[in-house]
Amino acid sequence: MKEYFSRFAVPDNGEPMIIASQILIVIVSLGIIVGLTYFKKWKYLWNEWLTTVDHKRIGIMYILSALLMLFRGGVDALLMRAQTSMPENGLLDAQHYNEIFTTHGVIMILFMAMPFIIGLMNVVIPLQIGARDVAFPRLNALSFWLFFFGAMLFNISFVIGGSPDAGWTAYFPLASTEFSESVGMNYYAIAIQIAGIGTLMTGINFIVTILKMRAPGMTLMKMPMFTWSILITNIIIVFAFPVLTVALALMTMDRLFGTQFFTMSNGGMDMLWANLFWVWGHPEVYIVILPAFGIYSEIISTFAKRNLYGYKSMVFSMVAISALSFLVWAHHFYTMGHGAMVNGIFSITTMAIAVPTGVKMFNWLLTLYKGKIEFKTPMLWAMAFIPIFLIGGVTGVMLAMASADYQYHNTMFLVAHFHYVLIPGTVFAVLAGFTYWWPKIFGFSLSEKIGKWSFWFIAISFNVTFFPMFITGLNGQARRMYTYSESTGFGPLNFISFIGALGLAVGFVLIVYNIYWSTRYAPRHVTEDPWDARSLEWATHSPVPAYNFAVTPVVESTQAFWDAKEKGTQLFRGKYEPIHMPSNSGLPFIMGVLFFFFGFCMVFGMWIPSIIFGLAIFACMMYRSFEHDPGYHISVEEIKETEKKYGVNSHENQLA
Amino acid sequence: MKKIWVLLGLAAIMLPTLSGCQLKVLDPKGPVAETQAGVIKLSMIVMAFIVLTVVGLYLFMLYKYRASKVGADYKPPHIEGSRVLETIWITIPILIVIFLSIVTVKSTSEVEATPKGYEDQDPLIIYAASSNWKWHFSYPEQNIETVNYVNIPTNRPIEFKLYSYGPITSFWIPQLGGQKYAMSDMVNTLHLLADTPGSYLGRNSNFNGAGFAEMEFETQAMSQKDFDKWVKDVHHTAEKLTEPTFNELLKDGHLGRKTYTGTHLTFRPAPEMHHMKKMDGHQKATEGQHHHE
Ligand code: HEM
Ligand SMILES: [Cu+2]
């Protein structure tokens, strides 16, 4: 019996930090259960959240989970910076450090950036295209719960069984059972797989939503830029994620069933993993950056009070980027030794991406031209993005030059590059989008004052943290070293990085404080259009009613709402009619739970329970295919009632 | 706020160039690293030009068109785009990319071959194999093997033959040239040359588990005369490398420096050659190691 349970022990058990976390997790979980029971909130939680298929609520849950993961990943980052702040520091040992940078990478990319973006697209896209929900609301809920339970499964690794420790890139043979013996990398393979299936379904869902559910009049070339960016992002998802699915499946078989796809013996090919990983991995970086481009396009044009400059070239450049993003993966291993010819070709395709990216840069700048720029918090993020991302981009081009990359590869220079693109690109963008759309979601604004404080903390500290890495990289500091000797001279610059990391932490805490403060004290129901914006989501009430629009809007240009305000174009032409809505379902949540336990049993090679949970998942799918679910209708009465509550009868046609 | 961006932009350009002389990668001690440092510096200049142009435009826009400057009743016009402008900012980047592509292709084939001007010399071949967490250097010509340090003659092209007895590693001596992977199922060739005598730190730069951070070695570049003397000394003093000793060396862990006569290549050939043979050699190469008990 004891032997059976010993598998759940963390290899380096006895580590006080891990024991403390184990105890903390138990206490917090108990606290939540007791709290929910005491305040009689179980029913509310189940009816309003766990079973919801409303895209707005699903979006909110995505964003909340992403924020939670931001803090998990952020603590990892602080620990890393603290450990390397001084030469030969003893805060963490090598194994611990390796686990932390592995989970940091996976969590930040897959469980923070991705869900944050998917959360924003959930909230915004149906509103922006004038739809009542996504194409497949229940599938959407399933996507969320798969992501959520995938993330939870990944996160419990450090208290049950041991964290993954082979890097977020999980290069073989290091990630094989031969060199990574704990169950950590099993968690990696299975948790990411579960979340990844959810992402793939999101991809399909949003492509269909955008292609089929736009308001009348909104042709493709009249879609707002954020919608365009999300369409292209989801197309990339649908092409790229199956590669990850296959790679992880092979990895799972290698680790659990003794196959030899990537191992050292019997013809296993270590570089096959690297190829598969980056065939997904490079498009993945564009999956997290293109939505950011969309968010910035909206924000810049709103706060410059100008239409977006060069709409068509913005669209074409994104299409070009998405195509090129599949042709550059080998730049992640120029040093594998495939010769000058192959490296030359991949260098050229990689540098070519800089051209469409540059086009976007100039279009944003020209959107400011002759504008009337207001520096509200979302705009501050967008304006910080331009110069910082520029540095990220040009260092990307430097890395793209194969001969020089032999010197940058695997160094802190590379680490600086991808943080210079990912943080101003993705993180600033989701924070900007979050601040920008917050009043639409909740009916009140976040505090500008606290928002600006957090902006300045983060924007400045970011550079303090990551700029020194360009220099230490050129001085020979490899990435992923848990320590270095004093004679290397890396000490001072690493210490500066650590100071910057502390500043970043302050900035992120301020963001949470802002949410808390504004929820308590900010004035309610200020306006439906607090930023004087241009696209459709601002044409409905804040917070948005369940049915989004009482009457489906009609669109005539890329900035439908702006035209309505400026030229008096009629957006809502028609009367109230009963609105068909999808009904809630507990099935996605239940399937998520089943996937969690299925995954957990797989991680530990407990076959019988895995099979049982696997069968239960199939049973849910069977049940779903025989289920008759006609949805329900919101009656005209009810719509009138709701609209009245918002005190709006300004759209006269609605009352006709 | 603009000032901060000016400063940051300037810092971004100036810092690496100013401190360049001390940074290892920009302080080359051989033609390969020199080519690479040249490419890096050139690309930095091109990038500085791009950054300055864009940041200049950016500051101009922020300064000229902020709400407090343009006046309360100013109404921004509707502007669709401009064919001329868009053509300009597509063409110029394309020209830059073409230029950098030529530089890349040329310099990459250069560093992937024997350094120019040294082609008439026979390269010295050194096998560098990694195992958790150390480097084994075999000199077939001199019949010597060392662990965690490598001595090379100056002004003679060196061909490092790289492979691994475990996870993928990357062999890197920043001051002599860029890195290349060492893998278990093939042999990679890295061309390096030192033109200045001295001691240069080398390391594995590709994460390979718990002992990664300490996986360093010293490269001593010395005159051909000193090198020949060292070889002679080794043959007088060092013991012979036997298969059991080598198996001991392969076990997980760190070792100090070791010196042997003979090389492991005789009983454990490197996984070179074409595919079929490769599989065989490779199987041999992976037998009898990674003891996890
Ligand atoms: C102008 C556009 C860009 C170019 C030319 C470029 C080029 C490169 C190159 C050549 C590498 C490999 C370097 C090496 O491993 O030695 C790299 C790594 C990376 N880039 Fe970029 N990049 C660009 C934009 C981006 C963007 C927009 C993102 C993400 C938002 C991004 C994220 C990354 C990441 C995450 C890695 C490395 C991951 C790892 O090894 O762990 N890059 N980039
Ligand atoms: Cu890439």
Side-chain angles (χ1 to χ4, degrees), chain B residues 143-170:
Chain B
N143 203 27
I144 283 180
E145 177 144 335
T146 62
V147 177
N148 287 340
Y149 78 97
V150 57
N151 287 356
I152 54 172
T154 46
N155 294 314
R156 175 160 175 204
I158 316 284
E159 279 183 22
F160 283 102
K161 301 281 180 192
L162 310 171
Y163 59 102
S164 165
Y165 288 99
I168 300 173
T169 53
S170 192

PDB file of all heavy atoms in Angstrom, chain B residues 143-170:
ATOM      1  N   ASN B 143      47.021  10.545 -30.657  1.00  0.00           N
ATOM      2  CA  ASN B 143      46.721   9.411 -29.793  1.00  0.00           C
ATOM      3  C   ASN B 143      46.673   9.806 -28.310  1.00  0.00           C
ATOM      4  O   ASN B 143      47.342   9.227 -27.468  1.00  0.00           O
ATOM      5  CB  ASN B 143      47.732   8.287 -30.040  1.00  0.00           C
ATOM      6  CG  ASN B 143      47.142   6.956 -29.611  1.00  0.00           C
ATOM      7  OD1 ASN B 143      45.923   6.788 -29.615  1.00  0.00           O
ATOM      8  ND2 ASN B 143      47.999   6.028 -29.222  1.00  0.00           N
ATOM      9  N   ILE B 144      45.860  10.820 -28.066  1.00  0.00           N
ATOM     10  CA  ILE B 144      45.734  11.366 -26.713  1.00  0.00           C
ATOM     11  C   ILE B 144      44.262  11.596 -26.432  1.00  0.00           C
ATOM     12  O   ILE B 144      43.497  11.875 -27.353  1.00  0.00           O
ATOM     13  CB  ILE B 144      46.473  12.726 -26.622  1.00  0.00           C
ATOM     14  CG1 ILE B 144      47.974  12.505 -26.535  1.00  0.00           C
ATOM     15  CG2 ILE B 144      46.007  13.548 -25.433  1.00  0.00           C
ATOM     16  CD1 ILE B 144      48.743  13.795 -26.446  1.00  0.00           C
ATOM     17  N   GLU B 145      43.878  11.460 -25.199  1.00  0.00           N
ATOM     18  CA  GLU B 145      42.500  11.845 -24.841  1.00  0.00           C
ATOM     19  C   GLU B 145      42.535  12.672 -23.560  1.00  0.00           C
ATOM     20  O   GLU B 145      43.262  12.353 -22.618  1.00  0.00           O
ATOM     21  CB  GLU B 145      41.632  10.592 -24.658  1.00  0.00           C
ATOM     22  CG  GLU B 145      40.218  10.918 -24.218  1.00  0.00           C
ATOM     23  CD  GLU B 145      39.165   9.991 -24.826  1.00  0.00           C
ATOM     24  OE1 GLU B 145      39.410   9.420 -25.911  1.00  0.00           O
ATOM     25  OE2 GLU B 145      38.098   9.847 -24.204  1.00  0.00           O
ATOM     26  N   THR B 146      41.698  13.733 -23.535  1.00  0.00           N
ATOM     27  CA  THR B 146      41.623  14.566 -22.334  1.00  0.00           C
ATOM     28  C   THR B 146      40.166  14.713 -21.932  1.00  0.00           C
ATOM     29  O   THR B 146      39.263  14.481 -22.730  1.00  0.00           O
ATOM     30  CB  THR B 146      42.180  15.978 -22.576  1.00  0.00           C
ATOM     31  OG1 THR B 146      41.377  16.602 -23.583  1.00  0.00           O
ATOM     32  CG2 THR B 146      43.628  15.958 -23.004  1.00  0.00           C
ATOM     33  N   VAL B 147      39.974  15.104 -20.675  1.00  0.00           N
ATOM     34  CA  VAL B 147      38.622  15.383 -20.203  1.00  0.00           C
ATOM     35  C   VAL B 147      38.599  16.802 -19.670  1.00  0.00           C
ATOM     36  O   VAL B 147      39.479  17.199 -18.898  1.00  0.00           O
ATOM     37  CB  VAL B 147      38.203  14.394 -19.092  1.00  0.00           C
ATOM     38  CG1 VAL B 147      36.818  14.738 -18.555  1.00  0.00           C
ATOM     39  CG2 VAL B 147      38.226  12.972 -19.615  1.00  0.00           C
ATOM     40  N   ASN B 148      37.610  17.556 -20.113  1.00  0.00           N
ATOM     41  CA  ASN B 148      37.338  18.912 -19.617  1.00  0.00           C
ATOM     42  C   ASN B 148      38.423  19.946 -19.893  1.00  0.00           C
ATOM     43  O   ASN B 148      38.415  21.016 -19.293  1.00  0.00           O
ATOM     44  CB  ASN B 148      37.017  18.899 -18.112  1.00  0.00           C
ATOM     45  CG  ASN B 148      35.643  18.311 -17.865  1.00  0.00           C
ATOM     46  OD1 ASN B 148      34.811  18.260 -18.777  1.00  0.00           O
ATOM     47  ND2 ASN B 148      35.395  17.843 -16.657  1.00  0.00           N
ATOM     48  N   TYR B 149      39.365  19.645 -20.735  1.00  0.00           N
ATOM     49  CA  TYR B 149      40.204  20.720 -21.262  1.00  0.00           C
ATOM     50  C   TYR B 149      40.701  20.293 -22.627  1.00  0.00           C
ATOM     51  O   TYR B 149      40.785  19.101 -22.929  1.00  0.00           O
ATOM     52  CB  TYR B 149      41.365  21.062 -20.315  1.00  0.00           C
ATOM     53  CG  TYR B 149      42.524  20.101 -20.347  1.00  0.00           C
ATOM     54  CD1 TYR B 149      43.662  20.379 -21.125  1.00  0.00           C
ATOM     55  CD2 TYR B 149      42.508  18.934 -19.594  1.00  0.00           C
ATOM     56  CE1 TYR B 149      44.727  19.505 -21.146  1.00  0.00           C
ATOM     57  CE2 TYR B 149      43.570  18.056 -19.629  1.00  0.00           C
ATOM     58  CZ  TYR B 149      44.685  18.341 -20.393  1.00  0.00           C
ATOM     59  OH  TYR B 149      45.726  17.479 -20.431  1.00  0.00           O
ATOM     60  N   VAL B 150      41.000  21.276 -23.452  1.00  0.00           N
ATOM     61  CA  VAL B 150      41.491  20.949 -24.782  1.00  0.00           C
ATOM     62  C   VAL B 150      42.610  21.915 -25.139  1.00  0.00           C
ATOM     63  O   VAL B 150      42.486  23.118 -24.949  1.00  0.00           O
ATOM     64  CB  VAL B 150      40.338  20.978 -25.826  1.00  0.00           C
ATOM     65  CG1 VAL B 150      39.643  22.316 -25.861  1.00  0.00           C
ATOM     66  CG2 VAL B 150      40.812  20.584 -27.202  1.00  0.00           C
ATOM     67  N   ASN B 151      43.722  21.351 -25.571  1.00  0.00           N
ATOM     68  CA  ASN B 151      44.846  22.175 -26.003  1.00  0.00           C
ATOM     69  C   ASN B 151      44.901  22.188 -27.518  1.00  0.00           C
ATOM     70  O   ASN B 151      44.768  21.149 -28.159  1.00  0.00           O
ATOM     71  CB  ASN B 151      46.168  21.623 -25.458  1.00  0.00           C
ATOM     72  CG  ASN B 151      46.296  21.883 -23.962  1.00  0.00           C
ATOM     73  OD1 ASN B 151      45.428  22.533 -23.367  1.00  0.00           O
ATOM     74  ND2 ASN B 151      47.351  21.373 -23.368  1.00  0.00           N
ATOM     75  N   ILE B 152      45.080  23.368 -28.084  1.00  0.00           N
ATOM     76  CA  ILE B 152      45.143  23.441 -29.538  1.00  0.00           C
ATOM     77  C   ILE B 152      46.316  24.321 -29.960  1.00  0.00           C
ATOM     78  O   ILE B 152      46.684  25.259 -29.248  1.00  0.00           O
ATOM     79  CB  ILE B 152      43.842  24.025 -30.138  1.00  0.00           C
ATOM     80  CG1 ILE B 152      43.508  25.374 -29.497  1.00  0.00           C
ATOM     81  CG2 ILE B 152      42.678  23.067 -29.970  1.00  0.00           C
ATOM     82  CD1 ILE B 152      42.363  26.086 -30.173  1.00  0.00           C
ATOM     83  N   PRO B 153      46.909  24.005 -31.116  1.00  0.00           N
ATOM     84  CA  PRO B 153      47.952  24.882 -31.644  1.00  0.00           C
ATOM     85  C   PRO B 153      47.318  26.112 -32.298  1.00  0.00           C
ATOM     86  O   PRO B 153      46.226  26.016 -32.863  1.00  0.00           O
ATOM     87  CB  PRO B 153      48.645  24.010 -32.693  1.00  0.00           C
ATOM     88  CG  PRO B 153      47.622  23.003 -33.101  1.00  0.00           C
ATOM     89  CD  PRO B 153      46.684  22.817 -31.950  1.00  0.00           C
ATOM     90  N   THR B 154      47.989  27.246 -32.194  1.00  0.00           N
ATOM     91  CA  THR B 154      47.460  28.442 -32.845  1.00  0.00           C
ATOM     92  C   THR B 154      47.740  28.394 -34.343  1.00  0.00           C
ATOM     93  O   THR B 154      48.635  27.681 -34.800  1.00  0.00           O
ATOM     94  CB  THR B 154      48.111  29.727 -32.285  1.00  0.00           C
ATOM     95  OG1 THR B 154      49.504  29.510 -32.222  1.00  0.00           O
ATOM     96  CG2 THR B 154      47.562  30.075 -30.939  1.00  0.00           C
ATOM     97  N   ASN B 155      46.969  29.176 -35.082  1.00  0.00           N
ATOM     98  CA  ASN B 155      47.150  29.320 -36.522  1.00  0.00           C
ATOM     99  C   ASN B 155      47.103  28.011 -37.287  1.00  0.00           C
ATOM    100  O   ASN B 155      47.725  27.873 -38.334  1.00  0.00           O
ATOM    101  CB  ASN B 155      48.458  30.063 -36.831  1.00  0.00           C
ATOM    102  CG  ASN B 155      48.372  31.495 -36.342  1.00  0.00           C
ATOM    103  OD1 ASN B 155      47.367  32.158 -36.570  1.00  0.00           O
ATOM    104  ND2 ASN B 155      49.385  31.945 -35.620  1.00  0.00           N
ATOM    105  N   ARG B 156      46.407  27.056 -36.728  1.00  0.00           N
ATOM    106  CA  ARG B 156      46.167  25.838 -37.488  1.00  0.00           C
ATOM    107  C   ARG B 156      44.666  25.562 -37.427  1.00  0.00           C
ATOM    108  O   ARG B 156      44.078  25.619 -36.337  1.00  0.00           O
ATOM    109  CB  ARG B 156      46.948  24.684 -36.856  1.00  0.00           C
ATOM    110  CG  ARG B 156      46.648  23.377 -37.532  1.00  0.00           C
ATOM    111  CD  ARG B 156      47.706  22.322 -37.292  1.00  0.00           C
ATOM    112  NE  ARG B 156      47.262  21.071 -37.881  1.00  0.00           N
ATOM    113  CZ  ARG B 156      47.694  19.893 -37.483  1.00  0.00           C
ATOM    114  NH1 ARG B 156      48.587  19.795 -36.519  1.00  0.00           N
ATOM    115  NH2 ARG B 156      47.227  18.794 -38.064  1.00  0.00           N
ATOM    116  N   PRO B 157      44.032  25.315 -38.594  1.00  0.00           N
ATOM    117  CA  PRO B 157      42.592  25.049 -38.547  1.00  0.00           C
ATOM    118  C   PRO B 157      42.281  23.801 -37.724  1.00  0.00           C
ATOM    119  O   PRO B 157      42.977  22.793 -37.849  1.00  0.00           O
ATOM    120  CB  PRO B 157      42.200  24.865 -40.008  1.00  0.00           C
ATOM    121  CG  PRO B 157      43.448  24.758 -40.779  1.00  0.00           C
ATOM    122  CD  PRO B 157      44.579  25.280 -39.950  1.00  0.00           C
ATOM    123  N   ILE B 158      41.272  23.894 -36.898  1.00  0.00           N
ATOM    124  CA  ILE B 158      40.871  22.753 -36.073  1.00  0.00           C
ATOM    125  C   ILE B 158      39.498  22.296 -36.547  1.00  0.00           C
ATOM    126  O   ILE B 158      38.615  23.129 -36.796  1.00  0.00           O
ATOM    127  CB  ILE B 158      40.718  23.144 -34.586  1.00  0.00           C
ATOM    128  CG1 ILE B 158      41.870  24.019 -34.109  1.00  0.00           C
ATOM    129  CG2 ILE B 158      40.534  21.914 -33.724  1.00  0.00           C
ATOM    130  CD1 ILE B 158      43.139  23.303 -33.858  1.00  0.00           C
ATOM    131  N   GLU B 159      39.309  20.991 -36.682  1.00  0.00           N
ATOM    132  CA  GLU B 159      37.973  20.479 -36.928  1.00  0.00           C
ATOM    133  C   GLU B 159      37.523  19.701 -35.710  1.00  0.00           C
ATOM    134  O   GLU B 159      38.064  18.641 -35.419  1.00  0.00           O
ATOM    135  CB  GLU B 159      37.959  19.576 -38.168  1.00  0.00           C
ATOM    136  CG  GLU B 159      37.896  20.371 -39.445  1.00  0.00           C
ATOM    137  CD  GLU B 159      37.808  19.500 -40.684  1.00  0.00           C
ATOM    138  OE1 GLU B 159      37.378  18.331 -40.565  1.00  0.00           O
ATOM    139  OE2 GLU B 159      38.175  20.008 -41.757  1.00  0.00           O
ATOM    140  N   PHE B 160      36.537  20.268 -35.000  1.00  0.00           N
ATOM    141  CA  PHE B 160      35.974  19.525 -33.879  1.00  0.00           C
ATOM    142  C   PHE B 160      34.883  18.614 -34.407  1.00  0.00           C
ATOM    143  O   PHE B 160      33.988  19.064 -35.128  1.00  0.00           O
ATOM    144  CB  PHE B 160      35.395  20.481 -32.839  1.00  0.00           C
ATOM    145  CG  PHE B 160      36.430  21.139 -31.994  1.00  0.00           C
ATOM    146  CD1 PHE B 160      36.818  22.460 -32.221  1.00  0.00           C
ATOM    147  CD2 PHE B 160      37.044  20.427 -30.968  1.00  0.00           C
ATOM    148  CE1 PHE B 160      37.775  23.058 -31.440  1.00  0.00           C
ATOM    149  CE2 PHE B 160      38.018  21.028 -30.174  1.00  0.00           C
ATOM    150  CZ  PHE B 160      38.390  22.350 -30.415  1.00  0.00           C
ATOM    151  N   LYS B 161      34.983  17.333 -34.082  1.00  0.00           N
ATOM    152  CA  LYS B 161      33.943  16.378 -34.469  1.00  0.00           C
ATOM    153  C   LYS B 161      33.082  16.146 -33.226  1.00  0.00           C
ATOM    154  O   LYS B 161      33.561  15.608 -32.225  1.00  0.00           O
ATOM    155  CB  LYS B 161      34.579  15.050 -34.902  1.00  0.00           C
ATOM    156  CG  LYS B 161      35.534  15.197 -36.074  1.00  0.00           C
ATOM    157  CD  LYS B 161      34.766  15.288 -37.372  1.00  0.00           C
ATOM    158  CE  LYS B 161      35.696  15.444 -38.560  1.00  0.00           C
ATOM    159  NZ  LYS B 161      34.948  15.810 -39.778  1.00  0.00           N
ATOM    160  N   LEU B 162      31.815  16.578 -33.310  1.00  0.00           N
ATOM    161  CA  LEU B 162      30.993  16.641 -32.102  1.00  0.00           C
ATOM    162  C   LEU B 162      29.959  15.526 -32.046  1.00  0.00           C
ATOM    163  O   LEU B 162      29.264  15.267 -33.029  1.00  0.00           O
ATOM    164  CB  LEU B 162      30.258  17.983 -32.055  1.00  0.00           C
ATOM    165  CG  LEU B 162      31.130  19.217 -32.263  1.00  0.00           C
ATOM    166  CD1 LEU B 162      30.257  20.462 -32.413  1.00  0.00           C
ATOM    167  CD2 LEU B 162      32.083  19.381 -31.093  1.00  0.00           C
ATOM    168  N   TYR B 163      29.846  14.876 -30.905  1.00  0.00           N
ATOM    169  CA  TYR B 163      28.752  13.948 -30.675  1.00  0.00           C
ATOM    170  C   TYR B 163      28.561  13.773 -29.185  1.00  0.00           C
ATOM    171  O   TYR B 163      29.336  14.295 -28.387  1.00  0.00           O
ATOM    172  CB  TYR B 163      28.976  12.611 -31.382  1.00  0.00           C
ATOM    173  CG  TYR B 163      30.230  11.890 -30.984  1.00  0.00           C
ATOM    174  CD1 TYR B 163      30.192  10.816 -30.099  1.00  0.00           C
ATOM    175  CD2 TYR B 163      31.450  12.298 -31.497  1.00  0.00           C
ATOM    176  CE1 TYR B 163      31.344  10.169 -29.733  1.00  0.00           C
ATOM    177  CE2 TYR B 163      32.611  11.649 -31.124  1.00  0.00           C
ATOM    178  CZ  TYR B 163      32.560  10.582 -30.249  1.00  0.00           C
ATOM    179  OH  TYR B 163      33.705   9.956 -29.880  1.00  0.00           O
ATOM    180  N   SER B 164      27.501  13.073 -28.822  1.00  0.00           N
ATOM    181  CA  SER B 164      27.113  13.068 -27.418  1.00  0.00           C
ATOM    182  C   SER B 164      26.788  11.661 -26.934  1.00  0.00           C
ATOM    183  O   SER B 164      26.237  10.856 -27.677  1.00  0.00           O
ATOM    184  CB  SER B 164      25.879  13.969 -27.239  1.00  0.00           C
ATOM    185  OG  SER B 164      25.278  13.727 -25.998  1.00  0.00           O
ATOM    186  N   TYR B 165      27.134  11.393 -25.687  1.00  0.00           N
ATOM    187  CA  TYR B 165      26.714  10.138 -25.057  1.00  0.00           C
ATOM    188  C   TYR B 165      25.494  10.374 -24.171  1.00  0.00           C
ATOM    189  O   TYR B 165      25.398   9.838 -23.081  1.00  0.00           O
ATOM    190  CB  TYR B 165      27.850   9.579 -24.203  1.00  0.00           C
ATOM    191  CG  TYR B 165      28.985   9.017 -25.026  1.00  0.00           C
ATOM    192  CD1 TYR B 165      30.125   9.769 -25.263  1.00  0.00           C
ATOM    193  CD2 TYR B 165      28.888   7.740 -25.562  1.00  0.00           C
ATOM    194  CE1 TYR B 165      31.155   9.251 -26.028  1.00  0.00           C
ATOM    195  CE2 TYR B 165      29.922   7.227 -26.330  1.00  0.00           C
ATOM    196  CZ  TYR B 165      31.045   7.982 -26.562  1.00  0.00           C
ATOM    197  OH  TYR B 165      32.060   7.468 -27.325  1.00  0.00           O
ATOM    198  N   GLY B 166      24.591  11.200 -24.617  1.00  0.00           N
ATOM    199  CA  GLY B 166      23.438  11.498 -23.775  1.00  0.00           C
ATOM    200  C   GLY B 166      22.615  12.570 -24.458  1.00  0.00           C
ATOM    201  O   GLY B 166      22.570  12.636 -25.682  1.00  0.00           O
ATOM    202  N   PRO B 167      21.962  13.437 -23.673  1.00  0.00           N
ATOM    203  CA  PRO B 167      21.136  14.486 -24.266  1.00  0.00           C
ATOM    204  C   PRO B 167      21.932  15.380 -25.213  1.00  0.00           C
ATOM    205  O   PRO B 167      23.162  15.414 -25.162  1.00  0.00           O
ATOM    206  CB  PRO B 167      20.674  15.291 -23.053  1.00  0.00           C
ATOM    207  CG  PRO B 167      20.736  14.345 -21.924  1.00  0.00           C
ATOM    208  CD  PRO B 167      21.881  13.432 -22.209  1.00  0.00           C
ATOM    209  N   ILE B 168      21.205  16.113 -26.042  1.00  0.00           N
ATOM    210  CA  ILE B 168      21.848  17.040 -26.978  1.00  0.00           C
ATOM    211  C   ILE B 168      22.590  18.116 -26.190  1.00  0.00           C
ATOM    212  O   ILE B 168      22.052  18.685 -25.246  1.00  0.00           O
ATOM    213  CB  ILE B 168      20.788  17.709 -27.870  1.00  0.00           C
ATOM    214  CG1 ILE B 168      20.030  16.658 -28.667  1.00  0.00           C
ATOM    215  CG2 ILE B 168      21.442  18.725 -28.804  1.00  0.00           C
ATOM    216  CD1 ILE B 168      18.848  17.219 -29.442  1.00  0.00           C
ATOM    217  N   THR B 169      23.819  18.355 -26.595  1.00  0.00           N
ATOM    218  CA  THR B 169      24.587  19.442 -25.980  1.00  0.00           C
ATOM    219  C   THR B 169      25.036  20.374 -27.094  1.00  0.00           C
ATOM    220  O   THR B 169      24.859  20.065 -28.267  1.00  0.00           O
ATOM    221  CB  THR B 169      25.815  18.895 -25.246  1.00  0.00           C
ATOM    222  OG1 THR B 169      26.542  18.076 -26.167  1.00  0.00           O
ATOM    223  CG2 THR B 169      25.427  18.065 -24.042  1.00  0.00           C
ATOM    224  N   SER B 170      25.603  21.494 -26.712  1.00  0.00           N
ATOM    225  CA  SER B 170      26.075  22.416 -27.736  1.00  0.00           C
ATOM    226  C   SER B 170      27.474  22.891 -27.352  1.00  0.00           C
ATOM    227  O   SER B 170      27.688  23.406 -26.260  1.00  0.00           O
ATOM    228  CB  SER B 170      25.110  23.591 -27.862  1.00  0.00           C
ATOM    229  OG  SER B 170      25.409  24.320 -29.013  1.00  0.00           O
TER     230      SER B 170
END
